[in-house]
Amino acid sequence: MNTTTADLRYQRGFGNQFATEAVPGALPQGRNSPQVAPMKLYPELVSGSAFTAPRHQNQRSWLYRRQPAVVTGGYAPFEQRYWKSGAASGVDIAPDPLRWHPVPVPGEAEQPLDFVEGLRTVVVNGDPEAQTGASALLYLANRSMQRRALVNADAEMLLVPQQGALRITTEMGVLAVRPGEIALLPRGVAFSVAVDGPSRGYVCENFGAPFRLPELGPIGSNGLANPRDFLAPVAAFDDVQAAEWQILRRFGGRLWRTTQPRTPFDVVAWHGNLTPLKYDTADFMVIGSISFDHPDPSIFTVLTSPSDTPGTANCDFVIFPPRWMVAEDTFRPPWYHRNLMSEFMGLVHGQYDAKPEGFRPGGMSLHDCMVPHGPDAEAFERASTAPLAPHKLENTLAFMFESRWRFKPTAWAMHECGALDTDYTRCWAALEDRFRA
């Protein structure tokens, strides 16, 4: 690409109608598809919603490229046995809480893995064919994707880096994303991931309605994630046109491959509101209680994928960032609870306040529908006796993929990865009966 990390530029906003060109004059004016586009580029429309979707939900972008994406070879199966989709690919489990220790990134000499090769599905639900549900995956990468691009026709992908920065080249430009930031990659848009050393992170593969910002309701006009803090790339294209590329396409829950004698990143200009985005979680405006009681975790929602039931999400992306804890006469960590929603959790860095031991950066946990969970014995004791002065949680970032559909772990997560914490439930064993009449 004709950009470097040092000179990357972005456009601000979520859902904005952007217009950007890498070469002045490449973007048509007044017509999306003139008889002859400027500089003899090919117009190509990418629709992320049905043509007849309501205007405020309609997502699409016009790309002006050197060759259309249709110029490619036929597809053949590509083997990646650890990338699973849909509830049918999970295994049946007992209604127990589950936790996994961090899975190490293999050395490149031992097992070379780029982003696609290093994807490991941990939990699944829904069905990509029915466009419902989501999957949670790990990526374990020790090398960049070399002349290889991925197109996910089944789902949009939300990337949460935990170790190592990523440089994500997309058809619409380049995103540099480090731990603490996230990247949202639309369904159907080609991208390639470059890493700088061993890299690990989490991925939400969302088969349902596209992620959007949650409504604020009584919070008012400010709070949570603000649209202006989301960054979209500016147009940038690959100067090296004549080189063979491998295109991998996720389609129908399977991975397919083809080759083409040119770069897929040849978009010279584009306009629209379907675009890759990055967001720095440090910009999240936390809303919390200053009187009493612990707020519901929904107050930390960054993005939501709604379902056909109002208020019950196909998938929510929730973060637990640094914040002040102020509430009076209140048990400040999350309370013990059983939830209709199923919760997959990860830790980017620091310590999670409800699990001071055992839940480490790069680790994961799963608390499915109506499975009891909450603070471990140490966290309960400490929170029950701590002075109730204002206290700030610092140097921490946990997150949650929360879904109305029950998550099922994969065989890799339960039997092959070697990271399943078989002693997880012991963290509550010291919670005694303290009742005194």
Side-chain angles (χ1 to χ4, degrees):
M1 304 291 280
N2 56 356
T3 60
T4 65
T5 302
D7 64 13
L8 283 177
R9 295 179 295 120
Y10 300 103
Q11 309 168 88
R12 288 186 173 270
F14 190 102
N16 289 25
Q17 292 288 344
F18 295 111
T20 173
E21 52 189 11
V23 178
L27 199 63
Q29 301 299 314
R31 288 175 174 79
N32 292 323
S33 183
Q35 185 177 22
V36 179
M39 304 177 188
K40 296 187 177 180
L41 296 169
Y42 290 89
E44 182 176 273
L45 176 65
V46 182
S47 295
S49 58
F51 297 133
T52 52
R55 183 183 291 266
H56 71 282
Q57 296 178 355
N58 206 295
Q59 295 186 340
R60 58 94 177 103
S61 286
W62 281 93
L63 314 182
Y64 300 92
R65 61 193 319 152
R66 296 171 68 171
Q67 283 185 278
V70 72
V71 182
T72 188
Y75 282 87
F78 182 88
E79 180 65 25
Q80 213 291 33
R81 73 182 189 90
Y82 298 110
W83 189 353
K84 305 293 185 182
S85 296
S89 61
V91 298
D92 292 327
I93 58 168
D96 293 321
L98 298 175
R99 183 167 69 184
W100 291 266
H101 298 306
V103 179
V105 183
E108 185 174 2
E110 168 195 355
Q111 186 181 11
L113 298 171
D114 66 16
F115 175 81
V116 175
E117 295 163 339
L119 285 172
R120 303 290 184 266
T121 305
V122 183
V123 296
V124 291
N125 69 24
D127 181 358
E129 297 292 350
Q131 298 186 15
T132 61
S135 298
L137 307 89
L138 276 180
Y139 67 81
L140 308 168
N142 49 40
R143 64 174 182 173
S144 300
M145 295 171 65
Q146 298 294 332
R147 299 202 187 281
R148 171 184 282 180
L150 173 64
V151 179
N152 193 332
D154 287 346
E156 68 178 340
M157 301 182 77
L158 175 65
L159 275 56
V160 185
Q162 186 273 319
Q163 173 187 325
L166 306 179
R167 179 183 172 92
I168 307 172
T169 300
T170 79
E171 292 178 85
M172 292 146 174
V174 182
L175 300 174
V177 187
R178 56 175 175 77
E181 298 178 322
I182 61 172
L184 185 61
L185 305 174
R187 180 186 304 207
V189 173
F191 66 94
S192 184
V193 178
V195 301
D196 184 15
S199 300
R200 178 177 58 198
Y202 309 89
V203 178
C204 179
E205 193 179 15
N206 175 28
F207 308 118
F211 277 119
R212 65 187 69 170
L213 295 176
E215 300 298 335
L216 294 178
I219 293 174
S221 57
N222 297 289
L224 311 188
N226 291 309
R228 72 181 302 271
D229 294 325
F230 286 81
L231 304 180
V234 299
F237 63 95
D238 197 338
D239 291 326
V240 181
Q241 179 74 359
E244 185 173 272
W245 277 74
Q246 183 182 65
I247 308 298
L248 301 178
R249 183 175 294 269
R250 189 69 172 172
F251 184 76
R254 297 185 61 187
L255 205 57
W256 304 80
R257 64 174 172 82
T258 189
T259 57
Q260 61 185 43
R262 59 179 186 84
T263 176
F265 305 118
D266 63 352
V267 176
V268 182
W270 64 270
H271 72 86
N273 64 349
L274 180 73
T275 176
L277 294 165
K278 62 173 278 188
Y279 174 74
D280 189 343
T281 59
D283 293 327
F284 188 80
M285 181 178 170
V286 178
I287 303 293
S289 173
I290 58 171
S291 55
F292 57 86
D293 284 350
H294 184 98
D296 297 330
S298 50
I299 206 72
F300 300 107
T301 302
V302 180
L303 296 167
T304 183
S305 164
S307 74
D308 56 1
T309 303
T312 306
N314 175 73
C315 187
D316 282 333
F317 174 61
V318 179
I319 64 171
F320 303 102
R323 60 198 182 276
W324 280 98
M325 307 287 278
V326 180
E328 62 190 32
D329 189 20
T330 293
F331 185 76
R332 294 181 178 182
W335 11 255
Y336 297 104
H337 62 292
R338 288 164 289 171
N339 192 1
L340 174 72
M341 306 289 279
S342 296
E343 303 173 355
F344 174 87
M345 197 166 184
L347 184 60
V348 176
H349 63 79
Q351 187 180 83
Y352 180 54
D353 60 324
K355 298 287 191 302
E357 296 296 334
F359 191 41
R360 304 197 298 271
M364 303 162 288
S365 67
L366 174 63
H367 303 118
D368 257 325
C369 172
M370 294 301 170
V371 171
H373 57 288
D376 62 22
E378 179 186 348
F380 177 84
E381 184 63 31
R382 185 168 60 189
S384 300
T385 57
L388 291 180
H391 168 67
K392 188 174 185 181
L393 289 176
E394 297 188 279
N395 302 316
T396 181
L397 180 61
F399 74 89
M400 190 162 63
F401 301 147
E402 186 179 63
S403 176
R404 68 173 297 183
W405 317 110
R406 181 168 62 93
F407 283 117
K408 298 175 67 174
T410 61
W412 177 83
M414 294 300 293
H415 308 301
E416 299 178 45
C417 70
L420 183 66
D421 183 355
T422 56
D423 292 329
Y424 180 30
T425 56
R426 293 182 60 186
C427 74
W428 295 291
L431 294 169
E432 300 175 344
D433 182 349
R434 299 185 175 192
F435 177 70
R436 298 293 182 269

